[in-house]
Amino acid sequence: MKRGIVPGTFDPLTSGHLDIIERAAGLLDEIVVGVALSADKGGGPLFSEEERVRFIEAATSHLSNVSVRAFDTLLVDFADEVDASVIIKGLRAMTDFEREFQMAALNWRLDSKIETMFIMAIPEYMFLSSSAVKEIARHGGSVRGLVPEVVVEALSRKLS
Ligand code: PNS
């Protein structure tokens, strides 16, 4: 039984994240989506931990082998806690490489039993990010298709 983690800040979940979760769920027996409470990024998240978890639960309700958990520890400790042996990350453009390789190397240094696997974003989602989605929504642009429907509604409620 292979269990993997798809970790992230998911502020909010995008269609690109969802695509990676769906493809990871097809590769491994079980996927735990790990929602990081306090990612090391400037400013606080737009959506609370509960909201971010709820969006992912709603958008992945068709996937019986996917569950969602919030975490506020080292990723390798969270992996240990949920008994996962693989970390799955999505890779978009070249700009992701340096940060992702650094995290993978440090996670390997912290716990070499846990493998990091990368899944390439499909071309449609290569330049999609949560921050771009928030910027478009803040300026009144349409984010339909870039995020699951549950997030489209939440963004318009939050930013109106
Ligand atoms: O969606 P993001 O912001 O790219 O996700 C980053 C995340 C949450 C995967 C990363 O910040 C993380 O793993 N945080 C947990 C703390 C940790 O283990 N840090 C050391 C990894 S180098």
Side-chain angles (χ1 to χ4, degrees):
M1 226 279 293
K2 272 267 175 235
R3 184 176 293 137
I5 295 183
V6 179
T9 311
F10 302 110
D11 183 42
L13 177 76
T14 67
S15 303
H17 291 135
L18 184 57
D19 180 57
I20 299 295
I21 295 167
E22 284 171 340
R23 288 158 67 196
L27 289 171
L28 299 179
D29 300 306
E30 268 185 32
I31 295 296
V32 180
V33 180
V35 179
L37 297 190
S38 53
D40 192 12
K41 283 184 176 171
L46 176 65
F47 291 103
S48 70
E49 157 207 349
E50 290 81 13
E51 288 172 308
R52 287 179 279 145
V53 166
R54 190 159 43 76
F55 300 153
I56 304 170
E57 280 173 347
T60 59
S61 59
H62 61 295
L63 301 168
S64 58
N65 62 340
V66 172
S67 59
V68 189
R69 290 262 308 263
F71 74 101
D72 197 16
T73 60
L74 280 177
L75 184 55
V76 290
D77 291 338
F78 177 61
D80 198 41
E81 190 190 323
V82 299
D83 203 19
S85 54
V86 189
I87 294 167
I88 299 140
K89 306 292 294 278
L91 267 186
R92 295 165 300 182
M94 286 298 282
T95 45
D96 276 349
F97 274 49
E98 202 173 331
R99 182 166 176 261
E100 292 298 342
F101 278 26
Q102 184 192 31
M103 284 198 277
L106 289 172
N107 284 328
W108 184 84
R109 177 72 182 70
L110 291 166
D111 187 344
S112 60
K113 293 186 301 304
I114 301 174
E115 285 290 352
T116 299
M117 271 173 47
F118 293 101
I119 297 183
M120 270 188 61
I122 59 169
E124 195 183 337
Y125 299 140
M126 275 216 171
F127 294 96
L128 179 58
S129 68
S130 297
S131 23
V133 161
K134 284 183 282 192
E135 192 166 326
I136 294 169
R138 271 196 196 102
H139 291 92
S142 169
V143 292
R144 191 151 268 123
L146 301 181
V147 292
E149 203 51 35
V150 62
V151 178
V152 174
E153 285 154 23
L155 274 168
S156 78
R157 271 198 309 276
K158 181 82 82 179
L159 299 174
S160 65

